[in-house]
Amino acid sequence: QQIRAFVGTWNVNGKAPPADLGQLTAWLGFVPDNEAELDKLPELVVLGFQELDVRAEAFVYNNSVKDMEWTEAVERSMGGAKQKLVKVASKQLIGMFIMVYVRTDMVDVVTDVKMASVGCGIMGMVGNKGAVAVRLTFRDTPMCFVCAHLAHDGAQVERRNAQFHDLSRRLTFAGSAADADPLTPSADVVGSGATEADRMHSVFDHSYVVWFGDLNYRLAIDTGDMDEILARGEHRSLLGLDQLQIVRMNKQAFAGFEEGHIDFAPTYKYIVGTSEYDARRRPAWCDRVLWWTRPGCEDGVQSEAYESVDSVCTSDHKPVRAQLGLDVWRVDVEQRRAVFLEVLRELDRYENECIPTANVEATTVDFGDVYFGRAVRRQLRVGNSGQVPLEYGFVATPNRAAVAPGWLRISPEHGMLLPGQHVDVELVISVDERTSAPLSTRQEDLDDILVLHLTRGRDYFIQVHGAYQVSVYGMSLDVLVHCKGAVRNMTRADFEQCLRSGQFSVPRSMWLLIDFLSRYGVDRGLTLFNYSGDSVLGRRIREWLDTDQPLDPGTILQWPEGGDAQGSSRMSLTDQTLVASAISDIDVLAPSTAEALEQLSLGTWTPTPMRAESDSESEPDLEPDSHRHLSSGQAAEAIAGRAAHDAGVDTVASCLVELLRALPSPLIPTALYTACIEAGGHSRAAALEALEVLPPGNLNVLVYLLAFLREAVERGATAAARVARVFAPALLRPPVGHFRVDAEDGYAEMFVLYLLQSHGQI
């Protein structure tokens, strides 16, 4: 879009603001006559003053009296326009002063405002001459405004040129993290360790530079008839003698700068209080407004008005004003990223047209639908189309330290091909509990760009894409305990709203599995957790859970349409005490331990350890000082009496175990792993103590799960030792980098046995 910027400059000759504020209003020019025209105000107003304070003490003391006095006068002269403008920056250096105002409706799009000042007067350092500057970013367009006061006297043109170059070099602005552009390399030396916040921005590190002020360039020679020429209004004929235009043409200073058409009389030197030139000085256009545009931003600045104000007579300089049209833009980040990647491809193509070269079969690999725990494979053929051996390898990208994201495997990642040879690189997407959490709530997608690098050759960019089918498997417990519908169809916004509900319940998917096992496994006298079940049926069950469909016993048990099982109408103990409260439409708030136990009470249950595999070894007691256990013969007899099983029920049981294994963070957090393992080697009391800090949501689920497992053991559907062996790896997961010892598995199983025994105590 295009915005308007009012830029005004005035050397006030050390004078106080005029008592008649109408003179200031006349200079500003943009102040409307009525409120109806306020919307026509420019988006930016930049005012610069020179010789604001010429007192001797101003060179020693930092006194802000003058700038405050002029600020108040300017704002009073704005009238109603002041209500539509906000001052975002001001900077004073002795006599130089700059102010920047932004229209109120544009304040939010003006960012990164910074100020700087440099003196180049006496001894090249004192601030009687120099510049004050303000940089800002309007939308995504950085711009800089420099108010300067250069050396006086017509003979000092070389010094003015030198001061321009000195100010261009020394005027710098501190960088910030917000300046960092991930797509644009810094000008700093690679490997220097400097960050964007350490980098200093120069005047010319902007799209636009507007340089204005009393630049003090004079007329090169005196023609002898200047007074007559000016009296006839033929001042334009003198522009060929203007020193500033000459040095610009010769590129001695202000090279690349542009200026609006000068159609006004020289602005210096006047007799104060009049519009008559002082005969003691040669008239000159000292007060100027110029601009520079970065390559690529040509024609981004247009001069709409450029004039002096003859009616203002309080100084020996006439104030000058310019209205500029500035093209500003807002970056389309996604499109820019796409263009950036395309530019990278083009640059690589131009840089690496020499050998070695490769023939890559495709630049896009689509994996289609991807499900949790099911690997999807694709092949990418890479061939050596050059005349020399080719070394290739997939490499990391600037925003990722690894060669590929965690859900993608590449084999082989690197290798060498002789001319004419090719290799089929296998790409495998496999989503598991380590990578599923952000995918399950649609925070991330299965999209990435791989970089295939050829040693001493070009890079190839290969886009991989898969459509992850959101599942309860691989979803974090924090999300599961909030979801009550089909997760497959939930959007990212749905998940965010779900998590903000602040309410807890037992995951519906777990309830469906346990309810089925209770009705069609325990109640029918079948054994549980001894067989893995059918993988094809398991996929169908997962699909039902992801789409929030009830588990169909006719399919699972291979019953005929409308079939039923003997005794299925009888409610199990789990049904009677847990189901109604756990999956009712009323959300269950996170209870205390005592409240949870009260809601999930199952009656007295005493664990009886049994051997699950053979009679050759007896299981250890749950407590060293307890003698309540069955003999080996009794255990074998009990198991033999419940040997019947059903493949469908076994599949549902496997789905329950896999649901727990698939949690990105286990039901008992990894932070408690060490304490739980140690407790498993000590006592039941230690096991209970280890769970005292268990989060409320995890507590609900654990108590519910243990209640079902106790019932299954109590009714002979499985053995306590078998439950411990199957569920210990699912409930307890060591943290990354943990060094395992041989005894840990046994301690983990004992820990689960202690939990089974501790009814009413968790």
Side-chain angles (χ1 to χ4, degrees):
Q1 71 177 81
Q2 186 179 78
I3 64 170
R4 291 166 298 159
F6 176 92
V7 181
T9 177
W10 190 10
N11 184 322
V12 298
N13 195 26
K15 300 296 191 294
D20 180 11
L21 295 180
Q23 295 194 49
L24 284 176
T25 302
W27 170 44
L28 297 180
F30 62 80
V31 177
D33 296 330
N34 54 69
E35 293 187 1
E37 298 180 356
L38 287 178
D39 292 337
K40 298 180 180 179
L41 288 174
E43 285 83 352
L44 284 174
V45 174
V46 184
L47 303 177
F49 298 87
Q50 304 83 44
E51 295 189 13
L52 193 75
D53 195 345
V54 295
R55 297 172 301 161
E57 56 266 30
F59 288 77
V60 181
Y61 302 107
N62 184 16
N63 192 327
S64 61
V65 173
K66 289 286 186 178
D67 66 325
M68 293 177 59
E69 182 181 1
W70 275 92
T71 299
E72 292 174 359
V74 167
E75 292 184 352
R76 288 200 308 273
S77 69
M78 290 180 179
K82 177 60 182 69
Q83 306 303 318
K84 293 285 187 176
L85 296 171
V86 176
K87 186 171 75 171
V88 297
S90 64
K91 184 72 174 179
Q92 181 185 15
L93 177 63
I94 304 182
M96 292 165 286
F97 181 45
I98 186 173
M99 297 188 292
V100 178
Y101 291 83
V102 177
R103 208 169 67 191
T104 53
D105 60 327
M106 293 291 172
V107 171
D108 291 340
V109 300
V110 174
T111 59
D112 193 30
V113 180
K114 292 185 174 62
M115 296 155 286
S117 63
V118 169
C120 64
I122 301 172
M123 301 178 64
M125 297 296 293
V126 179
N128 60 314
K129 295 293 188 290
V132 288
V134 173
R135 70 158 294 190
L136 55 86
T137 300
F138 199 107
R139 294 200 185 277
D140 290 300
T141 306
M143 54 188 70
C144 180
F145 298 90
V146 181
C147 172
H149 192 190
L150 304 184
H152 64 285
D153 193 273
Q156 298 201 65
V157 60
E158 295 298 333
R159 185 178 179 189
R160 285 188 284 274
N161 294 345
Q163 287 177 339
F164 163 77
H165 292 292
D166 183 43
L167 293 174
S168 298
R169 177 178 55 85
R170 294 170 55 203
L171 269 175
T172 57
F173 305 88
S176 67
D179 300 331
D181 185 347
L183 304 186
T184 304
S186 171
D188 296 332
V189 177
V190 175
S192 65
T195 64
E196 189 65 30
D198 301 323
R199 180 172 179 259
M200 302 298 290
H201 294 275
S202 74
V203 169
F204 296 102
D205 284 336
H206 301 83
S207 297
Y208 306 135
V209 177
V210 179
W211 196 302
F212 61 102
D214 182 2
L215 306 185
N216 257 323
Y217 284 94
R218 311 299 173 88
L219 296 182
I221 60 174
D222 190 345
T223 62
D225 57 352
M226 286 187 180
D227 292 340
E228 297 178 6
I229 293 175
L230 293 174
R232 294 195 302 266
E234 298 176 354
H235 48 265
R236 285 188 295 274
S237 63
L238 299 175
L239 285 173
L241 302 175
D242 177 50
Q243 291 177 342
L244 180 55
Q245 293 200 19
I246 294 172
V247 299
R248 284 172 52 205
M249 184 183 308
N250 296 330
K251 298 184 178 181
Q252 296 170 297
F254 292 96
F257 277 79
E258 299 180 60
E259 185 178 16
H261 176 66
I262 296 179
D263 195 22
F264 51 89
T267 59
Y268 176 82
K269 176 180 184 177
Y270 289 86
I271 299 173
V272 176
T274 73
S275 291
E276 298 179 5
Y277 289 106
D278 189 334
R280 295 172 297 177
R281 294 290 179 90
R282 188 185 309 165
W285 285 277
C286 293
D287 309 280
R288 312 289 277 270
V289 178
L290 300 93
W291 66 86
W292 172 91
T293 60
R294 174 187 289 173
C297 301
E298 294 86 350
D299 301 324
V301 180
Q302 301 86 38
S303 177
E304 298 178 354
Y306 190 29
E307 55 195 1
S308 66
V309 185
D310 292 335
S311 61
V312 180
C313 305
T314 58
S315 171
D316 56 356
H317 288 253
K318 294 296 183 181
V320 171
R321 66 190 179 200
Q323 181 143 309
L324 305 176
L326 304 178
D327 291 340
V328 299
W329 57 87
R330 177 172 51 202
V331 173
D332 185 327
V333 177
E334 293 301 324
Q335 184 176 355
R336 184 169 187 247
R337 182 179 292 111
V339 172
F340 172 72
L341 292 175
E342 183 62 29
V343 169
L344 280 184
R345 296 187 184 102
E346 288 298 315
L347 289 177
D348 284 336
R349 184 172 66 85
Y350 291 136
E351 280 185 10
N352 302 299
E353 286 184 342
C354 61
I355 55 176
T357 58
N359 180 27
V360 180
E361 185 179 47
T363 57
T364 301
V365 180
D366 190 352
F367 286 81
D369 292 342
V370 178
Y371 295 84
F372 179 88
R374 289 157 60 180
V376 182
R377 291 173 168 81
R378 296 289 186 269
Q379 285 190 337
L380 178 70
R381 175 162 293 190
V382 178
N384 184 350
S385 58
Q387 303 300 316
V388 296
L390 168 68
E391 293 184 32
Y392 71 91
F394 290 88
V395 297
T397 59
N399 59 349
R400 184 184 62 237
V403 169
W407 40 262
L408 180 64
R409 297 196 306 272
I410 306 173
S411 178
E413 287 188 1
H414 52 82
M416 186 181 75
L417 297 173
L418 296 177
Q421 286 186 334
H422 68 267
V423 62
D424 290 326
V425 178
E426 185 177 57
L427 305 177
V428 183
I429 285 185
S430 179
V431 179
D432 56 22
E433 67 276 4
R434 296 169 299 175
T435 58
S436 61
L439 298 170
S440 296
T441 54
R442 303 192 189 277
Q443 300 296 315
E444 295 181 5
D445 297 316
L446 294 178
D447 287 291
D448 198 68
I449 295 178
L450 304 177
V451 180
L452 177 62
H453 175 70
L454 308 184
T455 303
R456 298 182 305 278
R458 59 168 292 185
D459 291 342
Y460 293 85
F461 298 88
I462 301 163
Q463 184 175 11
V464 295
H465 169 75
Y468 182 65
Q469 304 301 302
V470 175
S471 172
V472 295
Y473 286 83
M475 187 172 290
S476 67
L477 185 63
D478 291 340
V479 179
L480 282 173
V481 295
H482 288 81
C483 295
K484 301 178 181 65
V487 299
R488 176 68 52 80
N489 301 323
M490 291 178 66
T491 65
R492 178 173 178 174
D494 293 335
F495 282 110
E496 292 174 352
Q497 182 178 2
C498 181
L499 291 173
R500 288 195 300 267
S501 65
Q503 296 172 328
F504 292 80
S505 66
V506 175
R508 178 168 173 79
S509 52
M510 182 178 292
W511 173 79
L512 288 171
L513 295 171
I514 290 179
D515 178 65
F516 189 96
L517 292 174
S518 180
R519 288 177 179 269
Y520 300 104
V522 176
D523 287 357
R524 296 173 67 224
L526 301 176
T527 60
L528 302 178
F529 309 118
N530 288 323
Y531 302 91
S532 60
D534 181 76
S535 60
V536 176
L537 179 58
R539 292 181 183 180
R540 179 173 295 188
I541 292 173
R542 288 188 179 189
E543 190 70 15
W544 288 338
L545 296 177
D546 297 338
T547 55
D548 195 38
Q549 299 181 42
L551 305 187
D552 179 19
T555 300
I556 296 175
L557 304 178
Q558 299 180 354
W559 289 355
E561 185 72 22
D564 195 0
Q566 183 179 359
S568 63
S569 60
R570 180 168 57 88
M571 289 288 287
S572 69
L573 188 58
T574 304
D575 293 329
Q576 298 169 10
T577 58
L578 298 178
V579 173
S581 62
I583 309 297
S584 67
D585 291 334
I586 302 175
D587 294 326
V588 181
L589 298 177
S592 65
T593 302
E595 292 169 340
L597 292 172
E598 182 179 353
Q599 294 177 17
L600 304 176
S601 176
L602 298 176
T604 304
W605 176 74
T606 303
T608 54
M610 290 186 267
R611 284 182 300 107
E613 302 298 336
S614 68
D615 297 335
S616 59
E617 298 179 1
S618 60
E619 291 288 336
D621 293 341
L622 290 181
E623 292 185 273
D625 57 351
S626 173
H627 299 286
R628 296 177 296 175
H629 62 276
L630 297 178
S631 66
S632 298
Q634 290 173 317
E637 182 179 355
I639 294 175
R642 294 294 298 257
H645 75 95
D646 179 271
V649 174
D650 292 335
T651 304
V652 176
S654 296
C655 289
L656 173 62
V657 177
E658 289 305 315
L659 180 66
L660 294 171
R661 288 177 178 266
L663 292 173
S665 178
L667 188 55
I668 299 177
T670 54
L672 302 179
Y673 177 80
T674 301
C676 293
I677 293 299
E678 293 176 353
H682 287 82
S683 64
R684 184 176 63 183
L688 296 176
E689 183 178 355
L691 294 181
E692 288 183 353
V693 295
L694 195 65
N698 297 54
L699 173 66
N700 280 351
V701 179
L702 181 62
V703 171
Y704 176 66
L705 176 66
L706 290 174
F708 164 69
L709 295 177
R710 289 193 196 101
E711 180 185 357
V713 172
E714 181 184 58
R715 298 177 60 182
T718 187
R722 184 63 181 171
V723 169
R725 185 166 302 170
V726 171
F727 283 87
L731 297 177
L732 293 172
R733 195 182 306 163
V736 177
H738 175 76
F739 179 76
R740 295 179 62 90
V741 296
D742 294 338
E744 282 190 16
D745 291 341
Y747 291 153
E749 293 176 17
M750 284 303 302
F751 178 80
V752 175
L753 287 172
Y754 287 143
L755 298 186
L756 288 172
Q757 185 184 23
S758 303
H759 172 66
Q761 296 176 298
I762 299 178

